[in-house]
mmCIF file of all heavy atoms in Angstrom:
data_model
loop_
_atom_site.group_PDB
_atom_site.id
_atom_site.type_symbol
_atom_site.label_atom_id
_atom_site.label_comp_id
_atom_site.label_asym_id
_atom_site.label_seq_id
_atom_site.Cartn_x
_atom_site.Cartn_y
_atom_site.Cartn_z
ATOM 1 N N ALA A 94 18.983 -25.379 -0.768
ATOM 2 C CA ALA A 94 17.851 -26.036 -0.217
ATOM 3 C C ALA A 94 16.593 -25.604 -0.939
ATOM 4 O O ALA A 94 16.354 -24.447 -1.118
ATOM 5 C CB ALA A 94 17.703 -25.810 1.259
ATOM 6 N N TYR A 145 18.785 17.191 -12.806
ATOM 7 C CA TYR A 145 17.339 17.099 -12.520
ATOM 8 C C TYR A 145 16.537 16.940 -13.788
ATOM 9 O O TYR A 145 16.770 17.681 -14.796
ATOM 10 C CB TYR A 145 16.832 18.280 -11.759
ATOM 11 C CG TYR A 145 17.431 18.352 -10.361
ATOM 12 C CD1 TYR A 145 18.723 18.726 -10.095
ATOM 13 C CD2 TYR A 145 16.641 18.001 -9.276
ATOM 14 C CE1 TYR A 145 19.232 18.729 -8.808
ATOM 15 C CE2 TYR A 145 17.082 18.005 -7.951
ATOM 16 C CZ TYR A 145 18.431 18.411 -7.722
ATOM 17 O OH TYR A 145 18.919 18.405 -6.466
ATOM 18 N N ASP A 178 12.507 13.140 -28.725
ATOM 19 C CA ASP A 178 12.459 12.334 -29.920
ATOM 20 C C ASP A 178 13.270 11.029 -29.790
ATOM 21 O O ASP A 178 13.436 10.333 -30.796
ATOM 22 C CB ASP A 178 13.092 13.126 -31.113
ATOM 23 C CG ASP A 178 14.484 13.636 -30.786
ATOM 24 O OD1 ASP A 178 14.957 13.421 -29.555
ATOM 25 O OD2 ASP A 178 15.187 14.256 -31.634
ATOM 26 N N GLU A 230 -2.160 17.243 -32.783
ATOM 27 C CA GLU A 230 -3.412 17.103 -33.606
ATOM 28 C C GLU A 230 -4.317 16.273 -32.652
ATOM 29 O O GLU A 230 -4.041 15.108 -32.322
ATOM 30 C CB GLU A 230 -3.049 16.230 -34.863
ATOM 31 C CG GLU A 230 -4.089 16.324 -35.919
ATOM 32 C CD GLU A 230 -3.552 15.584 -37.149
ATOM 33 O OE1 GLU A 230 -2.669 16.067 -37.845
ATOM 34 O OE2 GLU A 230 -4.029 14.441 -37.301
ATOM 35 N N HIS A 247 -12.812 -9.914 -24.700
ATOM 36 C CA HIS A 247 -11.636 -8.964 -24.747
ATOM 37 C C HIS A 247 -10.336 -9.649 -24.389
ATOM 38 O O HIS A 247 -9.293 -9.118 -24.711
ATOM 39 C CB HIS A 247 -11.878 -7.831 -23.719
ATOM 40 C CG HIS A 247 -12.308 -8.292 -22.400
ATOM 41 N ND1 HIS A 247 -11.413 -8.913 -21.521
ATOM 42 C CD2 HIS A 247 -13.457 -8.224 -21.718
ATOM 43 C CE1 HIS A 247 -12.076 -9.217 -20.407
ATOM 44 N NE2 HIS A 247 -13.271 -8.832 -20.514
ATOM 45 N N PRO A 282 -3.674 4.902 -6.010
ATOM 46 C CA PRO A 282 -2.885 4.223 -4.986
ATOM 47 C C PRO A 282 -2.321 5.278 -4.015
ATOM 48 O O PRO A 282 -2.306 5.049 -2.789
ATOM 49 C CB PRO A 282 -1.830 3.442 -5.747
ATOM 50 C CG PRO A 282 -1.894 3.919 -7.149
ATOM 51 C CD PRO A 282 -3.189 4.552 -7.400
ATOM 52 N N ALA A 424 -21.518 -20.687 -1.181
ATOM 53 C CA ALA A 424 -22.031 -21.874 -1.912
ATOM 54 C C ALA A 424 -23.095 -21.403 -2.888
ATOM 55 O O ALA A 424 -23.440 -20.229 -2.963
ATOM 56 C CB ALA A 424 -22.675 -22.845 -0.891
ATOM 57 N N PRO A 448 -6.362 -6.015 -5.915
ATOM 58 C CA PRO A 448 -7.202 -5.919 -7.156
ATOM 59 C C PRO A 448 -8.287 -7.012 -7.134
ATOM 60 O O PRO A 448 -7.986 -8.167 -6.861
ATOM 61 C CB PRO A 448 -6.179 -6.139 -8.190
ATOM 62 C CG PRO A 448 -4.969 -6.699 -7.595
ATOM 63 C CD PRO A 448 -5.016 -6.243 -6.183
ATOM 64 N N GLY A 469 -34.862 -11.402 6.840
ATOM 65 C CA GLY A 469 -34.984 -11.315 8.257
ATOM 66 C C GLY A 469 -34.067 -12.301 8.971
ATOM 67 O O GLY A 469 -34.360 -12.927 10.046
ATOM 68 N N GLN A 502 -15.709 -15.378 16.682
ATOM 69 C CA GLN A 502 -14.826 -14.608 17.565
ATOM 70 C C GLN A 502 -15.124 -13.173 17.462
ATOM 71 O O GLN A 502 -15.139 -12.439 18.406
ATOM 72 C CB GLN A 502 -13.401 -14.976 17.214
ATOM 73 C CG GLN A 502 -12.392 -14.600 18.337
ATOM 74 C CD GLN A 502 -11.033 -15.209 18.168
ATOM 75 O OE1 GLN A 502 -10.987 -16.401 17.804
ATOM 76 N NE2 GLN A 502 -10.020 -14.311 18.185
ATOM 77 N N VAL A 693 -29.219 15.092 11.475
ATOM 78 C CA VAL A 693 -29.532 16.371 10.874
ATOM 79 C C VAL A 693 -28.712 16.634 9.592
ATOM 80 O O VAL A 693 -29.249 17.077 8.585
ATOM 81 C CB VAL A 693 -29.217 17.519 11.953
ATOM 82 C CG1 VAL A 693 -29.604 18.875 11.283
ATOM 83 C CG2 VAL A 693 -29.941 17.316 13.267
ATOM 84 N N ASP A 707 -7.763 -14.643 9.499
ATOM 85 C CA ASP A 707 -7.140 -15.942 9.423
ATOM 86 C C ASP A 707 -6.024 -15.778 8.296
ATOM 87 O O ASP A 707 -6.357 -15.704 7.134
ATOM 88 C CB ASP A 707 -8.176 -17.011 9.018
ATOM 89 C CG ASP A 707 -7.705 -18.109 8.124
ATOM 90 O OD1 ASP A 707 -6.473 -18.503 8.283
ATOM 91 O OD2 ASP A 707 -8.503 -18.638 7.352
ATOM 92 N N ARG A 745 -9.330 14.898 -18.039
ATOM 93 C CA ARG A 745 -8.466 15.260 -16.904
ATOM 94 C C ARG A 745 -9.145 14.715 -15.626
ATOM 95 O O ARG A 745 -10.362 14.523 -15.556
ATOM 96 C CB ARG A 745 -8.376 16.729 -16.743
ATOM 97 C CG ARG A 745 -7.761 17.453 -17.924
ATOM 98 C CD ARG A 745 -7.467 18.849 -17.491
ATOM 99 N NE ARG A 745 -7.284 19.727 -18.674
ATOM 100 C CZ ARG A 745 -6.631 20.855 -18.633
ATOM 101 N NH1 ARG A 745 -6.276 21.345 -17.453
ATOM 102 N NH2 ARG A 745 -6.488 21.607 -19.735
ATOM 103 N N PHE A 746 -8.230 14.553 -14.583
ATOM 104 C CA PHE A 746 -8.828 14.258 -13.310
ATOM 105 C C PHE A 746 -9.224 15.570 -12.618
ATOM 106 O O PHE A 746 -8.436 16.537 -12.707
ATOM 107 C CB PHE A 746 -7.843 13.456 -12.441
ATOM 108 C CG PHE A 746 -7.691 12.050 -12.887
ATOM 109 C CD1 PHE A 746 -6.409 11.579 -13.299
ATOM 110 C CD2 PHE A 746 -8.683 11.194 -12.828
ATOM 111 C CE1 PHE A 746 -6.241 10.269 -13.636
ATOM 112 C CE2 PHE A 746 -8.544 9.897 -13.241
ATOM 113 C CZ PHE A 746 -7.324 9.392 -13.638
ATOM 114 N N LYS A 818 -25.845 11.737 -0.419
ATOM 115 C CA LYS A 818 -26.626 10.535 -0.840
ATOM 116 C C LYS A 818 -27.496 10.044 0.318
ATOM 117 O O LYS A 818 -28.462 9.224 -0.004
ATOM 118 C CB LYS A 818 -25.650 9.494 -1.307
ATOM 119 C CG LYS A 818 -24.820 9.863 -2.502
ATOM 120 C CD LYS A 818 -23.805 8.832 -2.873
ATOM 121 C CE LYS A 818 -22.819 9.375 -3.909
ATOM 122 N NZ LYS A 818 -21.665 8.553 -4.084
#
Side-chain angles (χ1 to χ4, degrees):
Chain A
Y145 291 76
D178 54 357
E230 196 176 284
H247 49 70
Q502 194 167 314
V693 183
D707 147 32
R745 299 188 197 200
F746 288 119
K818 298 174 190 169

